[in-house]
């Protein structure tokens, strides 16, 4: 049994989760990073506070902090209920159990909203949606995308995924995407077609195991680099 969701949910992850989902090194943390489909993640807030250079983009940023928080709380219990109903699908190594997951997601949301709502003049949060990125070519060293591409594989087709990855490669020299499984807890049907096409285009493409696993089997990241 898989998780059933009608639309993308505004759930966010922390810097520590990003570090482990994307195998971020100390050098990565110092690079110019775009977090795409960043949602209410606290990655930007936490890494910026630690001296990093992070921009976040998401269509969610058309809303103010209070509305994002309202959307988050309106789906939180539904998602946690679905997690409880599918115990075979989850690995409790980072979060201890569904209640701990709930607490951690709320803490991340609060950290995000504090930074996002106090953002006047900083412009680190940009409203926009793949496959259209309002940045000049080569603006970033690294683009990260967590829990959007491949995860919502039944909502978005292969052509969308390919256009999205190409958009990310236009603005960043390297792209990393996590996880590679869809909501039904199997590898995305778009993964291999997208990888094959990017290899034909001349990119270096690798699927790598990482140290983070919450959805069982969701412990792989896709890395795409300019040759
Ligand atoms: C589950 S959240 C992931 C948030 C964050 N990346 C994390 O892992 O903590 C998925 C996000 O994808 C965003 N999203 C939906 N459609 C999008 C699009 N076309 N381009 C970019 N982001 C999109 C949603 O607004 C939502 O915030």
């Amino acid at each position: 049994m898989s998780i059933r969701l009608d639309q993308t949910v505004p759930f966010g992850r922390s810097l520590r989760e990003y570090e482990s989902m994307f195998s971020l090194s100390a050098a990565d943390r110092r690079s110019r990073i775009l977090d795409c489909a960043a949602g209410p993640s606290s990655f930007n807030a936490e890494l910026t506070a630690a001296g990093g250079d992070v921009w976040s983009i998401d269509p969610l940023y058309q809303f103010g902090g209070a509305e994002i928080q309202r959307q988050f709380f309106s789906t939180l219990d539904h998602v946690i209920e679905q997690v409880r109903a599918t115990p075979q699908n989850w690995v409790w190594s980072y979060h201890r159990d569904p209640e701990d997951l709930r607490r951690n997601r709320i803490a991340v949301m609060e950290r995000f909203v504090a930074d996002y709502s106090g953002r006047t003049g900083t412009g680190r949060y940009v409203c926009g949606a793949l496959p259209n990125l309002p940045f000049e070519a080569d603006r970033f060293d690294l683009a990260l995308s967590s829990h959007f591409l491949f995860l919502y594989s039944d909502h978005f087709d292969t052509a969308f995924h390919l256009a999205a990855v190409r958009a990310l490669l236009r603005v960043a020299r390297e792209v990393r995407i996590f996880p590679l499984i869809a909501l039904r807890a199997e590898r995305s049907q778009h993964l291999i077609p997208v990888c094959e096409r990017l290899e034909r285009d001349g990119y270096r493409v690798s699927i790598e195991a990482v140290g983070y696993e919450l959805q069982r089997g969701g412990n792989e990241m896709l890395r795409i680099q300019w040759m």
Side-chain angles (χ1 to χ4, degrees):
M1 186 180 166
S2 58
I3 283 250
R4 290 165 56 92
L5 296 169
D6 297 332
Q7 55 185 33
T8 51
V9 293
F11 268 35
R13 290 151 193 86
S14 65
L15 169 62
R16 195 151 75 83
E17 288 179 282
Y18 268 61
E19 284 174 340
S20 116
M21 293 186 299
F22 292 112
S23 303
L24 294 180
S25 65
D28 291 333
R29 286 171 48 117
R30 288 191 299 272
S31 66
R32 297 170 303 163
I33 299 177
L34 174 65
D35 183 12
C36 186
S41 162
S42 59
F43 173 70
N44 190 330
E46 292 183 80
L47 191 51
T48 298
D53 179 0
V54 184
W55 286 58
S56 298
I57 185 164
D58 196 296
L60 197 62
Y61 302 153
Q62 67 190 282
F63 303 113
E67 170 59 18
I68 294 176
Q69 219 163 4
R70 190 200 63 73
Q71 291 185 17
F72 167 77
F73 280 108
S74 76
T75 53
L76 178 63
D77 287 340
H78 174 63
V79 173
I80 297 296
E81 263 325 295
Q82 294 217 30
V83 169
R84 286 189 202 285
T86 53
Q88 68 284 3
N89 286 356
W90 307 94
V91 176
W92 300 111
S93 49
Y94 181 93
H95 310 279
R96 285 197 303 276
D97 53 35
E99 192 45 43
D100 191 43
L101 172 64
R102 187 177 192 283
R103 266 195 307 273
N104 292 339
R105 289 287 171 265
I106 292 172
V108 162
M109 166 59 77
E110 286 171 350
R111 183 76 200 258
F112 160 78
V113 168
D115 187 51
Y116 179 78
S117 300
R119 76 189 189 283
T120 317
T122 65
R124 283 182 284 111
Y125 294 95
V126 177
C127 179
L130 285 167
N132 301 308
L133 297 178
F135 302 108
E136 69 269 29
D138 206 8
R139 165 73 178 77
F140 301 98
D141 301 306
L142 179 61
L144 306 175
S145 192
S146 144
H147 293 84
F148 172 58
L149 292 171
F150 299 120
L151 185 64
Y152 291 90
S153 280
D154 295 335
H155 301 63
F156 298 93
D157 63 11
T158 302
F160 174 85
H161 279 77
L162 195 53
V165 175
R166 283 180 169 150
L168 291 166
L169 285 164
R170 185 184 68 78
V171 300
R173 298 194 61 80
E174 179 175 331
V175 173
R176 300 184 200 172
I177 301 170
F178 177 93
L180 306 182
I181 58 172
L183 288 169
R184 71 196 121 63
E186 290 165 7
R187 250 196 191 180
S188 162
Q189 66 272 32
H190 309 307
L191 179 63
I192 298 306
V194 167
C195 289
E196 286 176 351
R197 187 57 216 232
L198 293 170
E199 279 172 340
R200 281 208 298 281
D201 289 350
Y203 292 102
R204 182 182 303 134
V205 178
S206 56
I207 294 174
E208 301 174 16
V210 299
Y212 185 89
E213 185 176 12
L214 174 58
Q215 278 177 284
R216 190 172 295 285
N219 61 348
E220 290 177 320
M221 148 186 106
L222 180 63
R223 187 196 298 261
I224 309 144
Q225 293 163 295
W226 296 7
M227 291 283 229

